[in-house]
Amino acid sequence: GNSVTQMEGPVTLSEEAFLTINCTYTATGYPSLFWYVQYPGEGLQLLLKATKADDKGSNKGFEATYRKETTSFHLEKGSVQVSDSAVYFCASTNSGGYQKVTFGTGTKLQVIP
Amino acid sequence: GAVVSQHPSRVICKSGTSVKIECRSLDFQATTMFWYRQFPKQSLMLMATSNEGSKATYEQGVEKDKFLINHASLTLSTLTVTSAHPEDSSFYICSAPESSGNTIYFGEGSWLTVV
């Protein structure tokens, strides 16, 4: 089955710093890849997604590129804000459909002023 | 657009009682829904696959008699935590793939606290 590995947190950055959260996956076939964000005390929100190799997902200044050759989907943002403080989950779905989602362990990001 | 609604968002119950969480697909039909659980400071783990009109499929290690899943219609799946204990306190969230298979939607999640 699929698996997702993401860097452990917590990650603490100063406001306006550059963010990278690494994520790699294992899967048979061609999974779709996602980043979800969970703000404190809230549910899960889809941040961005990519459905095929070399696709770049982007939203709210965050970006991630589906790299098949390195089986990676690293999340980046050029300048983080305090409001970006949250837990970020990398995830994949099984090839061929949007069914079960496999999540990484989550990375807590704390941005300090 | 299509969304998945989950209710209640937060619930507190006493030990030994049962609590039901609803997951509804709005604007689309979902023959399959998924239930996940998030332990404190951990990731979300798939608990079970809810199948409309048939029994749910549980992941290994999930007690089917404790976590009752009913998918009685194409827009509603329910998770009932029976005889709840404090260790059942967790964040439960459902998801439903849209019928076209192109998009998967998550509910807002439900925070359960058992006291």
Side-chain angles (χ1 to χ4, degrees):
Chain A
N2 292 10
S3 69
V4 176
T5 302
Q6 64 182 103
M7 63 187 288
E8 291 188 19
V11 174
T12 302
L13 295 174
S14 298
E15 207 165 19
E16 299 184 2
F18 185 86
L19 168 71
T20 300
I21 301 178
N22 290 338
C23 172
T24 57
Y25 68 90
T26 60
T28 54
Y30 304 95
S32 295
L33 303 174
F34 307 83
W35 277 100
Y36 287 90
V37 58
Q38 184 179 33
Y39 296 101
E42 297 186 17
L44 213 60
Q45 298 178 29
L46 176 64
L47 181 60
L48 53 85
K49 68 178 181 181
T51 58
K52 60 183 187 297
D54 299 326
D55 265 3
K56 177 186 283 188
S58 61
N59 185 24
K60 299 181 181 179
F62 291 89
E63 291 184 341
T65 302
Y66 190 144
R67 301 286 188 198
K68 189 173 185 295
E69 63 275 16
T70 54
T71 63
S72 65
F73 193 55
H74 305 322
L75 182 68
E76 297 181 335
K77 186 174 185 181
S79 176
V80 294
Q81 305 300 313
V82 173
S83 57
D84 293 326
S85 298
V87 180
Y88 293 82
F89 293 94
C90 186
S92 72
T93 57
N94 51 313
S95 303
Y98 284 58
Q99 300 289 332
K100 298 179 183 180
V101 179
T102 300
F103 290 92
T105 52
T107 302
K108 183 176 182 179
L109 170 66
Q110 183 176 11
V111 181
I112 54 178
Chain B
V3 294
V4 171
S5 177
Q6 200 170 329
H7 177 81
S9 58
R10 296 180 187 276
V11 58
I12 301 173
C13 71
K14 293 184 178 181
S15 266
T17 62
S18 296
V19 61
K20 180 185 288 186
I21 301 169
E22 294 185 347
C23 179
R24 292 182 185 275
S25 60
L26 307 179
D27 300 328
F28 71 99
Q29 295 180 333
T31 55
T32 304
M33 293 185 178
F34 300 92
W35 286 97
Y36 297 82
R37 177 178 180 177
Q38 183 182 33
F39 290 95
K41 299 182 180 180
Q42 296 188 33
S43 189
L44 296 104
M45 301 299 294
L46 179 66
M47 296 175 66
T49 303
S50 175
N51 304 299
E52 189 269 334
S54 64
K55 292 182 179 180
T57 305
Y58 290 83
E59 297 298 302
Q60 192 173 7
V62 177
E63 299 175 61
K64 59 182 65 177
D65 294 331
K66 181 167 187 59
F67 299 99
L68 300 179
I69 291 174
N70 185 280
H71 197 148
S73 77
L74 288 171
T75 59
L76 174 64
S77 175
T78 59
L79 168 68
T80 301
V81 183
T82 63
S83 187
H85 292 283
E87 57 264 30
D88 298 325
S89 299
S90 192
F91 178 71
Y92 296 87
I93 192 166
C94 66
S95 72
E98 196 199 9
S99 54
S100 67
N102 292 326
T103 307
I104 189 162
Y105 296 99
F106 279 87
E108 306 94 330
S110 300
W111 296 92
L112 169 64
T113 302
V114 183
V115 296

